[in-house]
Amino acid sequence: MNFFEHQSLARRNSRWLVLWYALAACATVASYVLAAALAYALLGMYGALPLAGDAPLEWHGLWGTYFSALARVPWKFHALILGLVGGCIALVTGYRLWQLSDGGPAIADLLGARYVESARCKPEERKLLNVVEEMAIASGIAVPPVYVLDREDAINALVAGYSPNEAVIIVTAGALRQLSRDELQGVMGHEFSHVLNGDMALNVRLVGILAGLTWLGERGEALALAVAERTRRAGSENAGLEVVGALFGMLLAFIGFPGTVAADAIKAAISREREFLADAASVQFTRHPDGIAGALDTIVAVHGHTTIPVAYAGALSHMFFAPVVATWWQFPTHPPIDERIRRAHPRFMREDYRARRHGAAREVAVLDGAGNVVKHIRSGPAQVMATVGRPTAAHLDFGARLLAELPQRLREALRSPSEAEATMFALLLGNDPRGSAEARALEASRGAEALASAAALQVYVGLLRRQHMLTLAELAVPAIKDQPQKARDRFLADFEALVQADRRVTLREFVLLTFLRQRLREGAGQPIPTRFQRIEDVLADAHIVLSMVALAAGDGERAAFERGAAVLRAPWPEPVSREALTTQKTGDALERVRQLAPFAKPAFLKACAEAAAADGVLRLAEVELLRMVAATLDCPIPPLLAQQDPQALAA
């Protein structure tokens, strides 16, 4: 199953979720209405509450009289309970969805996780940050912020967010201490699979939607536990009231039990199979099956636990790498560990692996005497499409090499919002960092100090090969994104002013500007709405974007355009003229094309890839443009595509 099929499957699961939720909500409401009716009939049988009908209730024995009273419970009472419970479910669901509207950061806040600052972190946290950065570069997505659950010794992790470029990684302190680097990489490969396959957004929505079903039962359970704790601490004082409170809480939890069971059944039905797929994807990403299998085995080998006794852990149980709650009645959200190991690595030699590991972390450094030079590869359109959302071990190797070769001064700059912005400005200054039109525009908008900072960083930026431009932007985005939206908007405006400073926009400048806009604009992390079901609905916009890709082919523009148009079977006689391809027009076209349905995107992206590779060579300008289009569509292409042998690149 490829990237687009996974995305479409996630959307279908979301639609099924609505039906399952409706059925579960009906069952939950019915349980409360029935319980209330049973209580009302008991009181009505002895005259404490009025019953429907004018005739007095006649005695027909205990049970006969009780069932007669039950049949005469007023319908208005049923309607009242129905409205109260249904309203409560709807209110709690709406509130939780609003509470989680920020996606990943909201989940981290609910769990009480601490944000890991790269400038001030422990060695084991630095190891985690390096692994996450490598995985992000290999996946072609923004580097996710990383959070740690400091007080949790369990071995567990999760990823949360609504879109690939707005995800956050949350890891327990126990996982950092007890997993080796290879095992941690295997776990991160598992979590990045959830990001790329659309599971992450579905899981977050699931938390909000199911909150209404479980809220009443959870409140009853919490009340009973709180009363028991107070009784244990305070002794027998006010014991009678405490018993009444505990019984009420237990009754409330029992009545809400159908909702809790239904919610857990829905989570388990969606989660279990996706966990198998994520384990398999981790092996594919890292090409090191011992990583994910070893991480799972370590949980058993060190007698580690995976449960996390924090608030909301139960509601988020389906999002974690391993089970976080342990109750006898629950539907398991995760398959058994042994079964996961067997499927992920059928030849896993448990005893040999444990003998090698000895329970200690094993650090592995990837060294490459060739530096940033990656072997020459020929990437046909089919190969390009196969990499969408599917990074491999080669991509991870590239990410590790690139991070290792970044100058320390530049790595530090990419972690500071102001210096990350200066690094992006430095990409535009060219060979004359102080005398160009861009330099004058930067000084006019930000002052001499900002120009000096960008000029100083330009020395380090200039050391990088040109094909690292988008990867450098991906590394800079997290720091810039840490600022309020107003500051982000100011940066984008100033960046566009530099692009326009010499009154012409190069293809490279347009690619970088569009890429940063998609990552930093307001609402960038929200799911892309589907407005168009077929490519025919945005044919004029597709014509503009494909013409822009063909334009990068140079003298072969017409042949490249025809090759791409043939994929879409579009009736375009010729590409849009260069003069008509303005920045505004092309940007608007990209914005509409990105709102295509998931299954309509592969054909369009393949058309762009065919145009780029029409002459059998992928030039750097074509590669940058193709990656930008893919990022705009939320279909990340791993960066190794852009890292051909520099000697073979025609700039």
Side-chain angles (χ1 to χ4, degrees):
M1 193 178 295
N2 63 27
F3 175 83
F4 305 100
E5 290 170 333
H6 279 300
Q7 294 288 323
S8 181
L9 179 60
R11 288 173 182 262
R12 287 202 302 273
N13 284 341
S14 296
R15 289 193 289 269
W16 275 108
L17 176 60
V18 174
L19 176 60
W20 295 339
Y21 173 77
L23 294 175
C26 290
T28 303
V29 171
S31 70
Y32 279 94
V33 171
L34 177 61
L38 291 173
Y40 191 103
L42 181 64
L43 295 173
M45 183 174 66
Y46 294 102
L49 290 174
L51 297 172
D54 297 330
L57 184 67
E58 297 181 1
W59 187 262
H60 301 293
L62 179 63
W63 289 110
T65 307
Y66 178 72
F67 283 115
S68 296
L70 185 61
R72 293 175 58 179
V73 173
W75 66 266
K76 291 184 178 180
F77 178 76
H78 293 298
L80 176 64
I81 300 301
L82 178 66
L84 287 174
V85 177
C88 183
I89 290 175
L91 185 64
V92 172
T93 296
Y95 172 76
R96 185 58 54 83
L97 287 172
W98 171 82
Q99 189 181 29
L100 300 179
S101 59
D102 287 338
I107 298 289
D109 186 59
L110 282 178
L111 291 172
R114 171 180 60 85
Y115 173 64
V116 178
E117 299 182 46
S118 58
R120 296 192 299 272
C121 61
K122 304 172 185 176
E124 62 267 21
E125 292 171 351
R126 169 53 56 198
K127 175 179 67 176
L128 173 62
L129 290 178
N130 288 341
V131 169
V132 171
E133 287 175 348
E134 291 168 13
M135 292 293 301
I137 292 173
S139 304
I141 64 175
V143 180
V146 176
Y147 292 78
V148 172
L149 292 167
D150 289 312
R151 293 191 293 272
E152 300 307 323
D153 292 325
I155 300 175
N156 227 320
L158 77 154
V159 65
Y162 284 111
S163 72
N165 292 299
E166 290 292 328
V168 303
I169 298 286
I170 305 173
V171 180
T172 60
L176 292 182
R177 289 193 297 267
Q178 299 180 72
L179 296 182
S180 70
R181 193 185 196 281
D182 283 349
E183 292 167 351
L184 199 59
Q185 189 180 68
V187 174
M188 290 301 101
H190 175 104
E191 299 304 330
F192 269 75
S193 169
H194 287 313
V195 174
L196 296 171
N197 291 338
D199 302 338
M200 178 181 64
L202 174 63
N203 286 339
V204 176
R205 294 190 187 99
L206 200 61
V207 175
I209 291 174
L210 298 182
L213 298 182
T214 61
W215 184 79
L216 289 171
E218 288 173 351
R219 298 288 72 76
E221 184 179 356
L223 175 60
L225 292 174
V227 169
E229 181 65 18
R230 284 198 303 270
T231 303
R232 185 182 67 81
R233 291 181 177 180
S236 59
E237 186 179 351
N238 296 325
L241 291 176
E242 298 289 9
V243 168
V244 172
L247 289 175
F248 178 74
M250 293 170 63
L251 179 63
L252 196 62
F254 177 76
I255 296 171
F257 189 70
T260 304
V261 171
D264 287 332
I266 292 173
K267 287 193 293 186
I270 291 177
S271 174
R272 285 174 62 88
E273 195 61 33
R274 309 302 289 180
E275 293 302 310
F276 282 133
L277 292 173
D279 289 343
S282 176
V283 176
Q284 181 183 8
F285 289 170
T286 63
R287 206 172 294 170
H288 186 56
D290 274 0
I292 185 67
L296 291 165
D297 184 65
T298 295
I299 296 173
V300 180
V302 302
H303 304 291
H305 64 94
T306 61
T307 55
I308 300 178
V310 299
Y312 301 105
L316 303 172
S317 60
H318 60 293
M319 299 178 65
F320 280 85
F321 172 72
V324 293
V325 291
T327 54
W328 62 270
W329 52 265
Q330 275 199 324
F331 290 92
T333 55
H334 294 71
I337 286 180
D338 286 345
E339 177 67 6
R340 290 175 67 180
I341 294 174
R342 187 186 66 79
R343 290 205 188 188
H345 190 1
R347 294 186 177 89
F348 183 64
M349 305 297 291
R350 173 169 283 173
E351 296 304 322
D352 291 345
Y353 182 82
R354 291 184 181 181
R356 293 195 310 270
R357 266 278 273 127
H358 295 298
R362 181 163 62 93
E363 297 292 335
V364 177
V366 179
L367 302 177
D368 187 347
N372 275 335
V373 177
V374 179
K375 66 179 182 178
H376 180 74
I377 58 172
R378 296 286 296 238
S379 295
Q383 292 170 294
V384 173
M385 297 301 296
T387 66
V388 176
R390 290 182 173 274
T392 66
H395 302 125
L396 284 174
D397 291 343
F398 162 69
R401 287 197 308 273
L402 177 61
L403 288 174
E405 293 208 359
L406 281 181
Q408 184 61 31
R409 175 68 184 90
L410 185 56
R411 292 199 70 172
E412 292 172 356
L414 292 171
R415 295 166 185 159
S416 162
S418 61
E419 291 202 306
E421 291 182 347
T423 303
M424 293 297 96
F425 291 138
L427 285 173
L428 300 178
L429 295 183
N431 297 325
D432 187 7
R434 291 186 178 273
S436 63
E438 291 85 356
R440 292 192 293 273
L442 179 58
E443 186 174 16
S445 62
R446 297 253 173 159
E449 186 177 345
L451 175 59
S453 177
L457 288 168
Q458 200 273 342
V459 175
Y460 299 98
V461 171
L463 294 175
L464 295 173
R465 292 181 177 87
R466 182 182 168 192
Q467 60 263 40
H468 297 323
M469 179 185 74
L470 290 184
T471 301
L472 198 62
E474 287 174 341
L475 291 172
V477 161
I480 300 173
K481 194 183 291 184
D482 277 345
Q483 304 176 103
Q485 187 60 49
K486 187 175 181 180
R488 297 188 215 172
D489 293 340
R490 184 192 172 211
F491 164 72
L492 290 174
D494 291 344
F495 193 87
E496 184 175 4
L498 264 67
V499 168
Q500 303 278 1
D502 57 359
R503 303 194 177 189
R504 70 185 184 91
V505 180
T506 66
L507 191 59
R508 181 170 178 263
E509 291 172 338
F510 173 75
V511 167
L512 189 57
L513 175 60
T514 304
F515 185 86
L516 290 172
R517 275 178 176 165
Q518 294 296 342
R519 296 289 197 261
L520 298 172
R521 66 180 184 174
E522 187 173 3
Q526 299 302 315
I528 299 176
T530 298
R531 292 180 53 198
F532 309 108
Q533 297 297 325
R534 305 174 305 152
I535 194 69
E536 289 78 9
D537 297 334
V538 289
L539 211 54
D541 303 299
H543 187 195
I544 292 172
V545 177
L546 187 62
S547 300
M548 178 183 61
V549 175
L551 181 63
D555 295 337
E557 175 186 354
R558 184 62 180 261
F561 174 79
E562 291 176 353
R563 185 80 171 263
V567 174
L568 299 176
R569 300 179 181 177
W572 303 316
E574 58 185 15
V576 178
S577 65
R578 297 183 179 220
E579 295 74 19
L581 290 175
T582 63
T583 303
Q584 182 65 43
K585 190 173 184 179
T586 309
D588 292 343
L590 277 168
E591 183 61 30
R592 284 187 289 273
V593 170
R594 77 190 297 262
Q595 297 175 37
L596 275 170
F599 265 142
K601 291 179 180 179
F604 178 68
L605 195 55
K606 183 180 179 183
C608 292
E610 287 281 0
D615 58 358
V617 178
L618 275 170
R619 295 171 180 82
L620 180 58
E622 295 168 321
V623 167
E624 290 174 341
L625 195 53
L626 191 57
R627 288 193 69 205
M628 182 273 289
V629 172
T632 301
L633 297 177
D634 240 5
C635 304
I637 292 177
L640 193 62
L641 178 66
Q643 311 311 319
Q644 298 181 6
D645 184 345
Q647 300 299 322
L649 284 171

